[in-house]
Amino acid sequence: MEEFGLIDALHPGRLDLGLGRSFGRPVDRSADAPPTTTPVVDGRTPGGLRIPPKFSFQRLLGSPRIALQRQLLQQPGAEAQDYGEQIDDILALLRGDYRSADDVEAHAIPGEGADVQVWILGSSGGQSALVAGRGGLRFAANYHVSPATVLEAVEAYRAAFQPSEVLDKLYVSVSADVVVAEDDATAREFATGYGLWVRSIRTAEGAIPFPTPEQARAHVWSEADRELVADRVDTQFVGSPARVADELERLQEATGADELLITTITHRHADRVRSYELLAEEWRRR
């Protein structure tokens, strides 16, 4: 809290506070989250948005690196606090009215009274979506991280939403990974290293520097590697400005997003900047 408060004090009104779950307790969402109502046929919505099969981390749970991450991030025998309670505590500290169960007050200085916009980040119709909805908070759904579950995430949030002091109607942002260039072939070349980069993250090896196209083509892919990254590679929007803008319109239509959060990663910084420029020009034209 103090860190966010300090940044807000230095740059007032410019900070969004995104809160997401990680390595928390599993949540049974079967009784709370409604089924997805948008039909998906042959991996696409009626508007054409690609929805891949759900990615399963089950195959990675035996990885020594995954086990080491859990060991470093959570003390032995520790039990994560309920996520909804954590969010309530953070909001209370921001407001300045936090009191513990035994009625002891606490204050976060700096942080108390910070003018930050609070977002809940979620990738499924689980607890994050429900906490955001019931708390009347903004919700950011991760198509670029978990494209298979973006529809259930936004629908669960909408079903749970209750107006609050900070938000009288629901508000959804949806993320997407894009690479834009003057033509499709150039954009595909810039995006060549994406699969190898995603692989480094999903194997818990740690994100590698984004590869050059030559480095990516030199990698020897196993079938297991390809399956590991297929959902992310297949749902990255890559191409000319018109092609990528079309895909983003499909994403907005399928999710009803109030705004889209765009991420571009390429080996060369100049290519990334140009990607944003080309997309902005096309979006403005539309």
Side-chain angles (χ1 to χ4, degrees), residues 93-176:
L93 286 168
L94 282 171
R95 293 191 305 265
D97 58 9
Y98 176 86
R99 287 188 176 274
S100 67
D102 49 358
D103 203 34
V104 177
E105 66 179 62
H107 300 274
I109 306 296
E112 186 173 304
D115 183 21
V116 295
Q117 201 173 86
V118 177
W119 289 77
I120 302 299
L121 315 180
S123 57
S124 74
Q127 192 177 22
S128 294
L130 302 181
V131 166
R134 292 169 180 170
L137 299 170
R138 294 170 177 84
F139 182 63
N142 299 327
Y143 181 73
H144 83 286
V145 171
S146 185
T149 54
V150 67
L151 298 179
E152 70 174 57
V154 295
E155 290 188 17
Y157 168 67
R158 288 194 171 93
F161 184 80
Q162 299 174 10
S164 68
E165 292 183 0
V166 298
L167 209 61
D168 60 355
K169 62 180 180 179
L170 55 84
Y171 196 90
V172 178
S173 174
V174 178
S175 62

Side-chain angles (χ1 to χ4, degrees), residues 9-245:
L10 293 171
H11 305 285
R14 296 182 60 188
L15 182 66
D16 290 349
L17 176 56
L19 304 171
R21 295 177 66 238
S22 180
F23 289 113
R25 291 178 293 185
V27 176
D28 180 8
R29 55 171 289 266
S30 57
D32 297 311
T36 301
T37 58
T38 302
V40 177
V41 179
D42 294 331
R44 292 194 181 271
T45 65
L49 179 69
R50 184 186 291 275
I51 302 293
K54 290 185 179 182
F55 176 77
S56 173
F57 284 93
Q58 199 65 36
R59 75 189 83 172
L60 301 179
L61 294 182
S63 163
R65 291 183 178 276
I66 297 291
L68 178 60
Q69 279 190 348
R70 295 187 68 92
Q71 178 183 332
L72 293 173
L73 291 172
Q74 185 168 321
Q75 292 296 313
E79 183 174 317
Q81 181 187 12
D82 177 78
Y83 182 61
E85 293 178 359
Q86 291 180 6
I87 300 301
D88 288 342
D89 287 349
I90 291 171
L91 295 176
L93 286 168
L94 282 171
R95 293 191 305 265
D97 58 9
Y98 176 86
R99 287 188 176 274
S100 67
D102 49 358
D103 203 34
V104 177
E105 66 179 62
H107 300 274
I109 306 296
E112 186 173 304
D115 183 21
V116 295
Q117 201 173 86
V118 177
W119 289 77
I120 302 299
L121 315 180
S123 57
S124 74
Q127 192 177 22
S128 294
L130 302 181
V131 166
R134 292 169 180 170
L137 299 170
R138 294 170 177 84
F139 182 63
N142 299 327
Y143 181 73
H144 83 286
V145 171
S146 185
T149 54
V150 67
L151 298 179
E152 70 174 57
V154 295
E155 290 188 17
Y157 168 67
R158 288 194 171 93
F161 184 80
Q162 299 174 10
S164 68
E165 292 183 0
V166 298
L167 209 61
D168 60 355
K169 62 180 180 179
L170 55 84
Y171 196 90
V172 178
S173 174
V174 178
S175 62
D177 265 323
V178 312
V179 176
V180 183
E182 279 77 3
D183 56 75
D184 292 347
T186 303
R188 287 195 296 269
E189 178 74 359
F190 292 161
T192 304
Y194 183 72
L196 188 57
W197 180 75
V198 171
R199 177 193 173 278
S200 70
I201 298 171
R202 283 195 165 172
T203 56
E205 295 173 4
I208 60 174
F210 197 83
T212 65
E214 293 75 23
Q215 289 170 334
R217 281 191 285 267
H219 180 75
V220 179
W221 285 86
S222 67
E223 190 58 33
D225 276 346
R226 295 188 187 279
E227 292 178 0
L228 187 66
V229 303
D231 64 320
R232 295 282 301 273
V233 172
D234 291 345
T235 55
Q236 187 187 33
F237 300 153
V238 178
S240 65
R243 179 183 294 276
V244 171

